[in-house]
């Protein structure tokens, strides 16, 4: 018996199947009128607070549901459940969400045909950038207390996002943060990035944020059909 | 953590290829990573070492080709290497599309096939 060596040429993205699955799910959601928004940021940037403000602003006008990812606890879901249907996705230590977990969360909510499905990702500017969750819109949040040098340090996150929201704008007088600098740094990496600013606790900028989402929903759902 | 979840997917794909070709062992796994792959090569190699143990990949060579980040201008179609994550066309300042260096690619799989010669079977 002899051993033969054979080289099989593959040249395929390891995520190819995951990306195809995400694309199919994206189309399914679009077909029934749901815009999926993946929210990403460091821990403590204000993703949950922004969603609370969004839910209050839209009460009675647009329907929304939230899937919220954390390593442990359902603290964020408890906050959001008072306002909108919310499922907590606990990753048990994993640093990011993947599509199968998102699907499980949607099923837990009964797959509601909402206008907007928000996926609040695990607080992390690194790994979540590599995973397509079937979102139509990827939004990265940066708070003024984190520093305006973040985009260049986490290029993949900013390169793969369509919008950046600067949060906690009401704290700007107290911290050395330049909105112009963070926007310039982010646009160097993603020139098409839409830049928004909010102070969600006081409601500043929430109207622009909501308007942006409504416009994107109309535009992106029309282009997917 | 992230490299380990990627490695799990990679090893499953390699093993599917091994089974498809009826090979007993994998002798080489070659992958390609770039600056926007979201993968750290040293951590990926460590994940391979740990996770290939006890599998048909256990003795395989794991080769990582590190490539640069290449982009193509959507307006004038100039192709260039992206330096310092500056994603603007150097020719016309147009919007660009990344064409290489933003994913983890499985390039090839080396297999060991046991061949039974005809005279040995008689």
């Amino acid at each position: 018996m002899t051993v033969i060596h054979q080289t099989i040429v593959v040249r395929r993205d390891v995520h190819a199947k995951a990306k195809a699955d995400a694309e199919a799910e994206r189309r399914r959601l679009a077909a029934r009128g749901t815009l999926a928004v993946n929210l990403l940021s460091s821990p403590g940037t204000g993703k949950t607070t922004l969603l609370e403000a969004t839910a209050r602003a839209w009460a009675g006008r647009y329907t929304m549901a939230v899937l919220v990812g954390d390593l442990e606890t359902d603290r964020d879901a408890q906050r959001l459940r008072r306002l909108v249907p919310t499922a907590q996705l606990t990753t048990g230590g994993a640093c990011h969400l993947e599509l199968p977990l998102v699907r499980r969360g949607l099923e837990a909510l009964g797959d509601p045909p909402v206008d907007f499905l928000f996926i609040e990702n695990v607080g992390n500017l690194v790994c979540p950038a590599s995973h397509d969750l079937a979102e139509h819109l990827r939004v990265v949040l940066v708070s003024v207390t984190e520093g305006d040098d973040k985009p260049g340090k986490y290029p993949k996150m900013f390169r793969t996002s369509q919008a950046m929201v600067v949060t906690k704008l009401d704290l700007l007088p107290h911290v050395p943060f330049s909105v112009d600098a963070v926007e310039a740094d982010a646009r160097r990496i993603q020139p098409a990035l839409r830049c928004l600013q909010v102070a969600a606790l006081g409601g500043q900028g929430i109207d622009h944020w909501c308007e942006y989402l409504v416009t994107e929903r109309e535009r992106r759902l029309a282009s997917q059909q | 953590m992230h490299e380990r979840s990627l490695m799990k997917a990679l090893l499953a794909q390699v093993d599917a290829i091994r089974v498809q070709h009826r090979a007993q062992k994998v002798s080489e796994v070659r992958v390609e990573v770039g600056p926007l792959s979201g993968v750290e090569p040293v951590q990926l190699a460590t994940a391979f070492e740990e996770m290939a143990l006890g599998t048909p990949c256990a003795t395989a060579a794991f080769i990582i080709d590190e490539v640069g980040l290449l982009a193509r201008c959507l307006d004038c179609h100039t192709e260039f290497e992206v330096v310092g994550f500056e994603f603007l066309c150097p020719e016309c300042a147009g919007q660009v599309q990344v064409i290489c260096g933003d994913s983890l690619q499985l390039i090839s799989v080396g297999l060991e096939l046991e061949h039974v010669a005809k005279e040995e079977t008689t």
Side-chain angles (χ1 to χ4, degrees):
Chain A
M1 201 160 61
T2 50
V3 174
I4 297 174
H5 291 271
Q6 192 184 358
T7 300
I8 312 296
V9 177
V10 186
R11 191 162 273 286
R12 183 177 61 209
D13 186 341
V14 172
H15 279 314
K17 188 182 175 293
K19 284 178 182 171
D21 288 351
E23 189 55 38
E25 180 68 7
R26 192 163 19 252
R27 286 182 180 281
R28 186 187 77 85
L29 291 170
R32 61 158 208 211
T34 298
L35 186 89
V37 183
N38 190 358
L39 284 185
L40 306 116
S41 78
S42 314
T45 298
K47 295 183 292 297
T48 310
T49 304
L50 178 62
L51 288 176
E52 286 173 320
T54 310
R56 288 195 187 101
W58 276 345
R61 285 198 293 153
Y62 295 98
T63 54
M64 61 181 266
V66 182
L67 305 177
V68 52
D70 276 301
L71 272 64
E72 292 296 345
T73 83
D74 67 342
R75 288 170 190 172
D76 285 352
Q78 282 181 32
R79 284 168 61 185
L80 289 162
R81 249 179 228 137
R82 295 174 196 137
L83 301 162
V84 288
T86 304
Q88 179 80 45
L89 312 175
T90 43
T91 65
C95 50
H96 61 273
L97 296 176
E98 293 187 22
L99 188 60
L101 196 55
V102 167
R103 283 215 173 106
R104 218 179 299 161
L106 257 182
E107 279 164 26
L109 289 180
D111 197 18
V114 287
D115 299 324
F116 294 90
L117 172 69
F118 290 97
I119 305 162
E120 182 184 328
N121 219 307
V122 175
N124 176 352
L125 283 176
V126 190
C127 314
S130 297
H131 297 273
D132 189 339
L133 302 182
E135 72 266 26
H136 301 97
L137 208 58
R138 184 175 282 197
V139 179
V140 58
L141 279 65
V142 181
S143 64
V144 300
T145 51
E146 284 165 59
D148 51 25
D149 59 347
K150 291 297 168 287
K153 295 166 87 170
Y154 303 95
K156 183 158 191 170
M157 181 60 73
F158 289 82
R159 176 68 199 168
T160 59
S161 293
Q162 283 80 45
M164 173 178 75
V165 181
V166 173
T167 64
K168 308 188 188 180
L169 206 68
D170 46 340
L171 298 181
L172 204 51
H174 310 287
V175 289
F177 182 95
S178 159
V179 174
D180 288 345
V182 79
E183 291 185 356
D185 198 28
R187 284 204 169 113
R188 187 174 62 83
I189 298 160
Q190 180 47 275
L193 198 71
R194 175 68 185 266
C195 297
L196 295 146
Q197 300 152 19
V198 301
L201 284 180
Q204 190 188 344
I206 295 301
D207 48 350
H208 277 126
W209 158 248
C210 289
E211 212 178 279
Y212 166 69
L213 291 174
V214 169
T215 308
E216 286 296 309
R217 177 170 176 267
E218 284 166 13
R219 195 169 71 81
R220 287 176 189 270
L221 297 197
S223 73
Q224 288 254 333
Q225 278 158 13
Chain B
M1 188 63 81
H2 171 69
E3 273 75 6
R4 289 182 69 91
S5 88
L6 269 175
M7 184 51 68
K8 196 175 156 194
L10 178 67
L11 286 172
Q13 289 173 29
V14 168
D15 206 55
I17 291 163
R18 179 190 68 82
V19 170
Q20 187 192 340
H21 290 84
R22 296 188 185 138
Q24 280 71 43
K25 278 170 71 179
V26 177
S27 56
E28 183 190 285
V29 177
R30 182 180 284 270
V31 298
E32 183 184 285
V33 305
L36 273 192
S37 299
V39 178
E40 207 294 305
V42 174
Q43 290 181 29
L44 192 69
T46 306
F48 182 84
E49 264 177 47
E50 292 172 4
M51 297 174 73
L53 278 178
T55 76
C57 284
T59 57
F62 186 58
I63 299 164
I64 302 176
D65 294 333
E66 292 187 47
V67 297
L69 192 56
L70 298 182
R72 183 188 294 127
C73 178
L74 295 172
D75 297 326
C76 73
H77 309 293
T78 299
E79 289 185 8
F80 65 100
E81 181 164 2
V82 178
V83 180
F85 298 107
E86 297 270 358
F87 288 89
L88 271 185
C89 174
E91 295 296 323
C92 73
Q95 302 262 341
V96 304
Q97 181 184 19
V98 174
I99 53 173
C100 175
D102 67 344
S103 62
L104 170 64
Q105 297 272 332
L106 174 58
I107 299 299
S108 63
V109 178
L111 298 174
E112 282 183 20
L113 300 148
E114 279 178 12
H115 180 73
V116 181
K118 270 186 185 161
E119 53 268 33
E120 288 177 32
T121 58
T122 55

